Amino acid sequence: MSSVAIQLESILDKTTRLIELCAALQEENDLLKLENQSLNVALTTSKDKCKDLDEKMRVLKLAKSIEGNNEKSLDIKQKINDFVREIDRSIALLKK
């Protein structure tokens, strides 16, 4: 075999290995993309659950502060009015 033929055969072998490596890397990349997508969904779900739990905790704190301190009814009405104003401001911002 001539030197050129040996070099050509070497190049063909290396090209074949590169093609196989490229296919394997592409498959790994596809799997990583799927895993990334799955983790993003899990993260979004966790964030939503965290927001819900924060809201529940805020409501529980409010309920506990109203019932636990034996505050005068005027103080309780003031807190309720403050919350109503906060809700009204939030609604106004949402409408913009």
Side-chain angles (χ1 to χ4, degrees):
M1 241 206 250
S2 69
S3 172
V4 174
I6 293 172
Q7 287 178 345
L8 182 59
E9 187 175 322
S10 174
I11 290 172
L12 288 174
D13 288 343
K14 289 178 182 178
T15 303
T16 303
R17 280 186 282 172
L18 282 175
I19 291 171
E20 289 170 357
L21 179 62
C22 181
L25 289 173
Q26 186 64 43
E27 185 176 327
E28 182 182 2
N29 189 27
D30 292 342
L31 290 172
L32 288 172
K33 284 180 181 179
L34 286 173
E35 182 181 2
N36 187 29
Q37 186 178 21
S38 173
L39 290 172
N40 280 332
V41 169
L43 177 64
T44 302
T45 303
S46 295
K47 283 182 179 180
D48 290 343
K49 186 175 182 178
C50 185
K51 285 179 186 178
D52 290 343
L53 290 173
D54 284 342
E55 180 62 22
K56 286 180 182 179
M57 188 170 65
R58 188 185 71 78
V59 168
L60 286 172
K61 283 181 181 179
L62 172 65
K64 196 166 200 154
S65 73
I66 289 175
E67 73 182 31
N69 291 338
N70 289 329
E71 295 176 334
K72 296 179 184 176
S73 63
L74 291 177
D75 290 338
I76 294 172
K77 286 181 182 179
Q78 181 62 40
K79 282 188 176 185
I80 292 172
N81 285 335
D82 289 344
F83 280 108
V84 169
R85 277 190 227 105
E86 184 180 337
I87 291 170
D88 288 341
R89 274 188 254 126
S90 297
I91 291 172
L93 288 174
L94 289 173
K95 287 183 180 179
K96 287 184 179 181

